[in-house]
Amino acid sequence: GVLVALTLFSPAELAAQVQTPDQQSCINEQNKGFAKVVKARGKSIGKCIKDATKTKLDPGMSLEECLSADRGGKATKAEQKTRSKVSAACVEPLPSFGVSDPNTIARVALEKELALVHAILGSDLDAVILGANDPNTKDASKCQVDATKATQKCQDAKLKEFNKCKKAGLKDGSITDLSSLEACMGADPKDKILKACGTKLGDKLHKKCIGTNIEATFPGDCSDSADPNALASCLDILVECGVCLALNEVDALGWNCDLFDDGQANQSCVIVRGDTFQIPSAVQPAETPGTPGVVVDPNSSLLTLFGDPNFSLNNTSYTRWHFDGPEQTPDAILIVVAGFGGGANNFKILAEDLIIRMLKDHDLVLEVWGFHRRSNQLEDREGVLIADALGDPLVALDWYYGAELGLTLHPALAAGPNRRALFYNASDDIPFLANWTSQVFSRDIDAVVDVARGVARNSNVFLGGHSAGTDFTARYAATDFNLTDVGDPQPGYAKLRGLVLFEGHAGRTGSALSDDSLDRIEAKFDGGLFGAVRDNAPRCVDGTTTCTIETEADDCLGQVPPKCTLPETAYAAVLGLSPQVTAASEPAALQGRSDHDSGQVPGNSAVLKVPELALLGLLPPATVDALFGAFLDDEGLNPSAATGLGAPGPNVDGLNTWLEITEGPLPDSVLPDNGPPPITLPASHWGQEKEAVRMDRMRTTFLAAETNGADWYYASSGLNVTSAPGVCDNDPNDGSFLCTAGNVDAACSDDGDCAQSISLDSSALSVDRGRRDIVNLTQAASIDIPVICFGGSNGNTPVPASYLPFAESIGPCDAPSCDSVTPRLVDPNVPNEAFPTFGDVEGGFEVHISEGFAHNDVTTAEDNADNNVLAPLSAFIARNTE
């Protein structure tokens, strides 16, 4: 059996210490309360299952919805009682070990019970639950209900005996630290556990499940049990695993649950854990703190954030998702890069599901590493992590917006950083982002790839990206990291086993840029863009001389090249998504852990006071889930963040609420049928739309220690260095507007801009002009590793032809998994231009489209029958792992 949890801590071993009576009371109240909440949740869930077998659920309520609904409110009452008793018992000085907080107790109790019932009955409860009123399924239905109930009683016995042992050991002084507490795991001096989990569980299964098809009745982690005896043993292991994982969180322990559940290190009880690491990067962009010769202005807010004036931003980071417990060499590592404005935690859900899928389907240990762009270092999140530890979203609100709200600095913030969060403007605060080019990020990725190659067996490293992250992925693969003109190329793709593209086009090798455009790129890189960003005004290449495009020949006379660079913002803040708006997701995510769809979002009150939150003013008062839905759902305000998260729910007491995908039925308005697959280009959305992502899991991606789901300061200016902007002038011949700068015969865009840009071939700049320091994209046509692509029919790449330009830009596959004969593209018009024939496995170019999936669904959807990502991706990695 396999259960999954995510922990972001490594409990420190503390010095042994006998706890005072007050400290003992704190620990005991916490564990007693946890056991009661678990028991109440278990009873509520058990009644849901029983009612579902008899079709007695409330009209329109799914079984999944019922599991979390707490009908009758007994679990909620137990949580409230526990919260009150723990708060009263836990006063300073707190115990030196074995405690967490009431919020963790409530969250883990629900998560544990849901995990247990899904481990027993499988992921799709509504499909597997059997009817008690049907003579053909009556006996098997009774078996499901009674087995689940008996398993929960087994669990209750384990928690009760653990609490007894702990209480006694604290009292007699034999338990003084985490190590001495270990003896209580599995302690059963009076055979109470043996009776509940052995005799009673076994007898119940023999009585109720004889003659039952175990595989069909229990399609979860015990589906391979041959008879009631094997089923009883498997269920006991599931309980051991779940209890161990839960107590690791509730008591802040660090037990190896994989060894505990069945005495073997066999991945039967695994934790997918995320840890974040920072490493130095060799690239040192101009004007960047940490680059030799760069002196930070003593008045800069950066010094408040980093303290030491000698700090460096020439670092890169990654979040490593892996099996917890003893270190083991991964068979493969998948490094993934987020898209526009996204952070590494965008891939948390994918990592949790794919790592488990690889183990189950291919018996391979996979790690997923989420790449952090160096701009994440600029996010000032110290106070929200304090709020996270306290479980208090109001402290997070104070951290980000307390000054505008006129709040007195919260004592927890005063005792820590003694300030509030810093936000940077888009010009002279951090203008050095203008020098953080795509090649800078490619070299940062290369540093992470090198680390991963040293960790993975046989250097089995894969690189992937989502949305704009596919551009980073393709550019890395196409870059020659030998930045001299001496010696052999050092292509990025040569360090990889394969490329993975999620909902992004990845780029192409296109027509050559004009000399004028190349001049403008050089002028931007050599100082023009830095000055234009810093001063928010046009600048010549020296970064200080004012200019206009029309008069640049005179304005920039004597400078090389004599071109004028137009101003850009240092970072992207489109659609009103300022860093302040992006940060607002974190207090909301924190509140959502205990109150996700009833109370008002704490940030709503800040909208009237914080100008940068004006976008939130478009929304009516809402709960946490309704706020996330308004921004993230595919019917929401931000199409670029489209995710199938459910649907708007009813307005309750003046607050908009949200319908999760586990709640139902969802309205037809969010499940339209967009028709059959297109056969021509450009392709529109098609197919039956689906709501595929759980809001409760999505919320967890926005707030975690040292990582999050956002990139507040997405360095758009530096990424645009390799584009050549122009101006649109009226053509006197026909009155139309054409792009005149760069001598490009191209129509202007609606906003009056035009541009040429380097995609995957920079030979004219890096080779012919020798400017490899700007960009060195010369290897696209030689890329010979396998590629797999994933799109959603309701997303940005709705048809396989979305990936045609990239397939036509790279070389044939030369990996062992390819046949060295089949091309990447077999026929662009068969069966039609929207669905061309690619080489698939033999040609090393696969495309998989998930019908009804929105843009973000391909990396966040649940692992069920609708998901056409996880199975082919795990097979791709397995096939190309040496």
Side-chain angles (χ1 to χ4, degrees), residues 466-809:
H466 175 259
S467 191
T470 64
D471 297 335
F472 288 85
T473 299
R475 288 188 175 196
Y476 174 84
T479 294
D480 177 4
F481 288 95
N482 178 359
L483 301 183
T484 72
D485 59 356
V486 178
D488 296 330
Q490 298 172 11
Y493 72 82
K495 295 184 177 183
L496 306 172
R497 300 293 186 207
L499 300 177
V500 184
L501 309 179
F502 299 103
E503 267 286 301
H505 300 86
R508 66 185 304 168
T509 53
S511 57
L513 274 65
S514 67
D515 286 339
D516 180 86
S517 293
L518 295 175
D519 285 345
R520 293 183 185 282
I521 290 172
E522 290 191 58
K524 292 173 73 174
F525 180 85
D526 289 341
L529 183 58
F530 176 79
V533 167
R534 179 197 59 216
D535 302 334
N536 191 28
R539 291 290 180 261
C540 297
V541 68
D542 63 1
T544 58
T545 303
T546 60
C547 57
T548 69
I549 294 286
E550 293 77 10
T551 62
E552 63 184 13
D554 294 327
D555 298 334
C556 304
L557 184 66
Q559 298 191 34
V560 180
K563 300 296 181 182
C564 185
T565 296
L566 300 177
E568 296 183 29
T569 57
Y571 55 86
V574 299
L575 297 175
L577 293 177
S578 64
Q580 288 88 337
V581 170
T582 305
S585 64
E586 299 190 349
L590 182 53
Q591 178 180 328
R593 292 178 183 173
S594 57
D595 174 21
H596 62 92
D597 208 24
S598 59
Q600 186 168 350
V601 176
N604 279 19
S605 58
V607 172
L608 299 177
K609 301 286 187 178
V610 183
E612 292 83 359
L613 297 182
L615 182 63
L616 297 180
L618 300 174
L619 303 173
T623 64
V624 167
D625 281 359
L627 175 68
F628 279 124
F631 271 97
L632 300 177
D633 190 65
D634 50 351
E635 277 84 30
L637 294 176
N638 184 9
S640 66
T643 310
L645 283 163
N651 187 284
V652 179
D653 297 329
L655 294 180
N656 282 359
T657 63
W658 192 259
L659 283 176
E660 250 263 44
I661 66 169
T662 57
E663 304 168 346
L666 297 176
D668 292 339
S669 60
V670 302
L671 299 170
D673 188 336
N674 294 316
I679 61 174
T680 60
L681 298 176
S684 59
H685 293 163
W686 61 274
Q688 177 69 56
E689 289 192 22
K690 297 182 174 68
E691 301 297 315
V693 181
R694 288 180 58 146
M695 179 71 82
D696 57 343
R697 296 187 73 188
M698 192 70 176
R699 269 189 273 109
T700 67
T701 67
F702 288 94
L703 178 60
E706 299 181 320
T707 185
N708 58 12
D711 186 349
W712 298 4
Y713 303 106
Y714 185 82
S716 57
S717 56
L719 292 171
N720 287 337
V721 159
T722 51
S723 66
V727 294
C728 293
D729 289 342
N730 187 281
D731 187 331
N733 295 319
D734 60 11
S736 64
F737 287 83
L738 292 177
C739 181
T740 56
N743 300 317
V744 181
D745 185 15
C748 296
S749 62
D750 292 339
D751 59 5
D753 291 329
C754 62
Q756 287 184 301
S757 62
I758 293 171
S759 182
L760 292 181
D761 183 7
S762 66
S763 299
L765 180 66
S766 54
V767 177
D768 298 346
R769 293 194 175 200
R771 293 307 305 265
R772 295 174 179 84
D773 55 331
I774 302 177
V775 64
N776 202 27
L777 293 164
T778 62
Q779 302 298 304
S782 299
I783 294 175
D784 61 3
I785 56 177
V787 179
I788 191 167
C789 312
F790 297 98
S793 74
N794 196 36
N796 289 0
T797 57
V799 294
S802 304
Y803 295 98
L804 188 61
F806 184 67
E808 292 177 320
S809 298

Side-chain angles (χ1 to χ4, degrees), residues 8 122 127 260 302-303 414 434 478 619 720 723 761 800 817 834:
L8 294 172
F260 175 74
L302 290 167
L303 292 182
L619 303 173
N720 287 337
S723 66
D761 183 7
S817 63

Side-chain angles (χ1 to χ4, degrees), residues 215-513:
E215 182 176 357
T217 307
F218 299 96
D221 293 336
C222 295
S223 61
D224 56 353
S225 300
D227 53 46
N229 286 332
L231 178 61
S233 176
C234 179
L235 293 176
D236 183 36
I237 289 174
L238 292 184
V239 173
E240 291 277 55
C241 173
V243 167
C244 181
L245 294 179
L247 291 176
N248 265 353
E249 289 206 68
V250 171
D251 284 40
L253 306 176
W255 285 318
N256 185 334
C257 297
D258 185 40
L259 285 175
F260 175 74
D261 70 332
D262 62 0
Q264 302 178 63
N266 57 0
Q267 309 295 342
S268 58
C269 182
V270 292
I271 302 172
V272 174
R273 167 176 169 168
D275 297 298
T276 299
F277 301 88
Q278 184 178 89
I279 59 175
S281 174
V283 61
Q284 299 177 328
E287 310 296 344
T288 298
T291 295
V294 174
V295 178
V296 179
D297 186 332
N299 297 316
S300 171
S301 297
L302 290 167
L303 292 182
T304 303
L305 178 59
F306 292 98
D308 185 350
N310 296 314
F311 74 93
S312 176
L313 293 179
N314 292 323
N315 307 295
T316 189
S317 303
Y318 59 94
T319 294
R320 172 194 172 213
W321 285 283
H322 61 102
F323 290 136
D324 197 12
E327 285 293 327
Q328 52 188 314
T329 299
D331 295 298
I333 294 174
L334 170 63
I335 301 171
V336 278
V337 184
F340 175 83
N345 232 35
N346 285 175
F347 299 104
K348 174 179 177 287
I349 296 171
L350 175 76
E352 292 172 357
D353 293 346
L354 183 61
I355 288 172
I356 298 302
R357 170 71 79 149
M358 287 295 299
L359 182 67
K360 282 186 172 182
D361 291 358
H362 304 286
D363 197 27
L364 292 175
V365 175
L366 174 73
E367 293 188 2
V368 177
W369 291 14
F371 173 76
H372 294 250
R373 283 180 284 267
R374 56 173 54 204
S375 41
N376 284 120
Q377 296 173 92
L378 298 168
E379 297 170 9
D380 192 6
R381 302 178 64 238
E382 182 178 358
V384 82
L385 299 183
I386 294 173
D388 188 12
L390 295 172
D392 191 341
L394 295 179
V395 175
L397 184 70
D398 186 6
W399 171 250
Y400 286 133
Y401 317 114
E404 293 89 345
L405 294 172
L407 302 178
T408 300
L409 187 67
H410 191 279
L413 300 179
N418 195 30
R419 61 178 179 84
R420 292 188 172 94
L422 299 169
F423 293 99
Y424 302 105
N425 69 33
S427 55
D428 59 342
D429 276 350
I430 47 176
F432 47 81
L433 267 63
N435 297 323
W436 292 6
T437 65
S438 62
Q439 182 150 292
V440 168
F441 289 109
S442 288
R443 295 178 67 184
D444 287 347
I445 292 171
D446 193 51
V448 177
V449 168
D450 282 344
V451 174
R453 282 169 54 83
V455 172
R457 178 173 60 85
N458 293 334
S459 299
N460 291 318
V461 176
F462 299 78
L463 180 65
H466 175 259
S467 191
T470 64
D471 297 335
F472 288 85
T473 299
R475 288 188 175 196
Y476 174 84
T479 294
D480 177 4
F481 288 95
N482 178 359
L483 301 183
T484 72
D485 59 356
V486 178
D488 296 330
Q490 298 172 11
Y493 72 82
K495 295 184 177 183
L496 306 172
R497 300 293 186 207
L499 300 177
V500 184
L501 309 179
F502 299 103
E503 267 286 301
H505 300 86
R508 66 185 304 168
T509 53
S511 57
L513 274 65

